[in-house]
Amino acid sequence: REARHGDRLRPGLALLAPGGRHVVLNWRLDAYEVQLTDGPKVHHQCPAVDVLFDSAVQAGSSDHTVAALLTGISFQQSNDVQVLNCHVENCAGGGIHPGSGSQRSVFKGCEVTRNGRDGFFFCWRVRDALVEGNIFHGNGGVGISIGHKDSDNFIRGNTVMNNQAGGVYWRREAEPMAGHRNRVVGNKVLDNGKFQLFVDGETEGTVIGENRISSKDANAPAIRIGPNAGSVIVEENHITAEQKVLDEREQSPATGR
């Protein structure tokens, strides 16, 4: 069930953070007690696992604590990692989650399916990664999410299909914090939720080319470019959709449509 303010943790009780509120744990006599707070978002999330884990550590009861982040494959501050031919399925969180300045990672031949959140989440300053020949399908969030300073990554030859929230998403970030010069080339982006590819941040140097894109929803454009996006090259895509490209910028530098 969802956590309530004042809940005391006990064996056999599983609590979910309610939407829009952080969960803080305090140690009271012999057990953790739940406090719900309305604090600001942390890494664009509320509730945020950072708040939960930090509070458990600060409560000073480490002898009673085991913490687990239910993402399939996650690493931080690691260079030259290779994730090859892995199957990531039915995780409560996301599927694959590289972050915190990791560089030159390679993800090939993986199948990421039916996870609770995004199939692949570029987290924080992920650079020069190669994401190639993977399948992201049936996840609860988007297939691939790109955001906070995630730049110079190459996403090639993947299949992104039937993800509930959407296909490939450039998160809404201001220009200094956005992901730049990311290339999405030669993928199959098929019949995802609200959009197939959506450049929502103030990105520069985005390339969307040679992809096969389809959308059965007449209200879901195949490619959507948000009003604050910078330069986007859209070229040589094969699109089957009622709306092929929706460019919401006042002056469009997109080419090749």
Side-chain angles (χ1 to χ4, degrees), residues 12 77 81 128 137 154 186 240 254:
Q77 296 179 329
V81 172
D128 299 304
H137 70 98
F154 194 16
T240 304

Side-chain angles (χ1 to χ4, degrees), residues 108-157:
K108 282 188 176 183
C110 299
E111 184 172 4
V112 183
T113 178
R114 293 190 295 277
N115 298 289
R117 299 182 69 177
D118 299 333
F120 192 105
F121 188 89
F122 288 93
C123 184
W124 187 294
R125 299 195 315 276
V126 177
R127 295 178 178 271
D128 299 304
L130 174 63
V131 182
E132 182 177 37
N134 306 284
I135 299 173
F136 304 99
H137 70 98
N139 296 288
V142 301
I144 299 174
S145 177
I146 306 165
H148 202 79
K149 296 187 178 180
D150 302 317
S151 299
D152 301 298
N153 300 295
F154 194 16
I155 300 166
R156 175 176 66 190

